[in-house]
Amino acid sequence: LGVSALCRAVVESLGQRIPDAEVSIASFRPMGSLKWDVPGTVQVDCVPFFPRTRRHWADGSQFRTRLSEIIPGTGGRFGKALNEATAVVDISGGDSFTDLYGERVWNAIQFPKFLAKQYSKPLLLLPQTIGPFKDLAKEAIAAEIIQYASLSCSRDADGFHALEKLSGLIGAEKDKRLFSGVDMAFLLKPLPPEKKTADRFSQIRDNAETLVGLNISGLVWFAELRAQQRGDSHGIDVQYRQIMKDFVEGIAGESGCHVILTPHVLAMRGSFESDIAACEDLFEMVSSGLQERVHVLPGTYDESEIKWAIAQCDWFAGARMHPTIAGLSSGIPTLNLAYSIKAKGVFETVLQGHSLADLRNLNDAEVLAAMFAHFNSRAIFADELKDAVPKTIRHAHEQVDRIAGVIKSAG
């Protein structure tokens, strides 16, 4: 739901500022009903985009999109949307403008950016993590993209420094074309799910004096499976499953405390990305005498509805980025169980750089101790967020004003 949260926040916030916009979302997966909070005059469509497919004639393939430059009308819905666009806005999934994730991901991420240049369309890089780049050739490609872009936004301070370096811009031109921003999901609006689902959640909330939310990442839970299939363990050596079990049982054993296990990647069981399977597995590991105080989030949720659920918690922790952003932006004391460089910068935008437990650098006992220490100090973190969150959200609105202004000037 992380990418969906970004997409929805972008479309809704821009739609409020450009009420006659026609938005084409290039996506390789269905985006649902798209019943979002935009003015009735805003048109939102989802067009297929498959930059990694080997089916050359598939709508949204690289082959057809490139062919349409030579033979008009052959590019399918994606090529048509690109040809008619006033501007191209690109967010790289929030964290994928880097070469850390392999050749196929890199090709898919940089392809639409170069298409904007080839079609002579203004390119806006929305707030995202910039880099790092291991390969100097790929760093040079990233620099070329940034130097072409009409506006490039980072979502943390380190990313802005990377933009400064790669763009080579200084003075007034830098101020015009670079922006140090925050993750767009800070603007995602929480919405309650359907009544039956909301009632089931509210029953759990009402029975708990303290409700602890915990995102269990399938990516980390099934790290061994991922390592077998992809050869990548993210450098995590801790016994994540045992740590989560010990923490859940420790919290559930306290008077009045309930734990709600919160999936955010809704892949089916069998996928090493499945948070649902990870949450269910953890619940089965919990001692039977404590299971009545441990719950897997009931019902079905979209990105705004799951933010609503997270906002009902008294404390939240998770390894996934966007459920923890949902907690932070709702003013909930939140701990990120980091497994990459991206978390620290985003948390620092809301003055919570100290609310991290890095799974790559700590041992089992240190991770568990950090979780309990953060939970026990939740009142302190809540007070910090009372001041920091409104400022961060105001800054998020300022960045959307800037983005909308560039799009309007292109039209």
Side-chain angles (χ1 to χ4, degrees), residues 4 16 54 60 67 160 218 319 383:
S4 297
Q16 297 296 330
R54 294 184 175 89
L67 184 65
F160 187 72
D383 285 340

Side-chain angles (χ1 to χ4, degrees), residues 84-202:
E84 295 176 354
T86 299
V88 174
V89 299
D90 183 289
I91 204 164
S92 306
D95 68 351
S96 296
F97 195 12
T98 174
D99 59 4
L100 293 181
Y101 302 129
E103 197 72 22
R104 290 189 71 199
V105 173
W106 166 252
N107 288 336
I109 289 298
Q110 58 89 19
F111 176 59
K113 299 173 178 61
F114 265 110
L115 281 179
K117 183 177 181 181
Q118 290 170 4
Y119 277 72
S120 299
K121 301 295 181 180
L123 171 66
L124 291 83
L125 300 178
L126 301 186
Q128 55 191 277
T129 299
I130 308 297
F133 300 99
K134 299 182 296 182
D135 186 302
L136 291 178
K138 290 183 172 62
E139 185 176 63
I141 291 171
E144 182 181 348
I145 291 168
I146 291 164
Q147 289 161 13
Y148 172 77
S150 301
L151 180 67
S152 298
C153 306
S154 68
R155 65 175 183 178
D156 57 47
D158 287 346
F160 187 72
H161 295 324
L163 287 176
E164 291 178 309
K165 173 189 172 185
L166 294 169
S167 70
L169 296 172
I170 60 173
E173 194 66 12
K174 183 185 84 169
D175 295 340
K176 177 184 177 183
R177 293 175 53 196
L178 304 184
F179 189 87
S180 182
V182 298
D183 193 282
M184 286 295 301
F186 275 92
L187 294 180
L188 182 68
K189 298 175 183 177
L191 295 171
E194 62 176 358
K195 186 178 184 304
K196 182 178 179 180
T197 300
D199 287 347
R200 290 172 66 192
F201 183 92
S202 296

